[in-house]
Amino acid sequence: MLQGTVSLHDAHLREMDYTTTSNVLDMRLDGDDGKGGLRQFHLHYSNMVSFHTSADPYNGLPGPSGYGHWGYDEADIALDGKAEHRILFSSGIEFQIVFGEFKLSWKDVELTQ
């Protein structure tokens, strides 16, 4: 779904929460609905195996502060059935998430003028 139906490119990570008791990682992002409006995404990773993040302080694109824009991501399935999601932000921050299950949801938000 992330590779075809929905684009997270240039979205902004607003919130990330890892709950150790349930072994769940949740991310909330603000992105584009494809029509110039706001779409709020919720990524839910469960049965977490590992989470790794790294940053290169000398490699990043100009842009917003924080994590920057969601740049590129790749997803792979290992032979053991676990999935891996790698994410690169414009700031140079990278995530590597290994997990068992994934859910993506979103809602479009009408902007008031």
Side-chain angles (χ1 to χ4, degrees):
M1 180 179 269
L2 285 177
Q3 305 303 320
T5 307
V6 175
S7 175
L8 297 175
H9 188 71
D10 285 341
H12 298 269
L13 178 60
R14 296 293 184 200
E15 183 179 331
M16 183 170 53
D17 183 46
Y18 175 68
T19 307
T20 56
T21 54
S22 60
N23 206 23
V24 167
L25 175 68
D26 285 302
M27 285 194 264
R28 288 180 172 54
L29 300 97
D30 288 344
D32 186 359
D33 69 358
K35 299 174 267 185
L38 175 65
R39 179 170 283 168
Q40 295 177 324
F41 295 97
H42 177 210
L43 285 70
H44 179 87
Y45 303 86
S46 55
N47 300 326
M48 291 285 297
V49 175
S50 66
F51 175 78
H52 175 78
T53 184
S54 61
D56 182 348
Y58 304 106
N59 187 19
L61 300 173
S65 58
Y67 291 96
H69 290 113
W70 181 292
Y72 301 98
D73 64 292
E74 296 179 336
D76 290 316
I77 305 291
L79 293 175
D80 65 0
K82 297 294 183 189
E84 179 180 18
H85 193 188
R86 293 178 302 280
I87 305 161
L88 176 62
F89 293 90
S90 63
S91 61
I93 294 172
E94 295 183 48
F95 289 172
Q96 180 187 32
I97 306 163
V98 180
F99 57 97
E101 296 179 33
F102 175 77
K103 293 179 186 173
L104 170 67
S105 60
W106 64 86
K107 68 177 180 178
D108 292 338
V109 178
E110 189 169 326
L111 301 175
T112 57
Q113 301 209 14

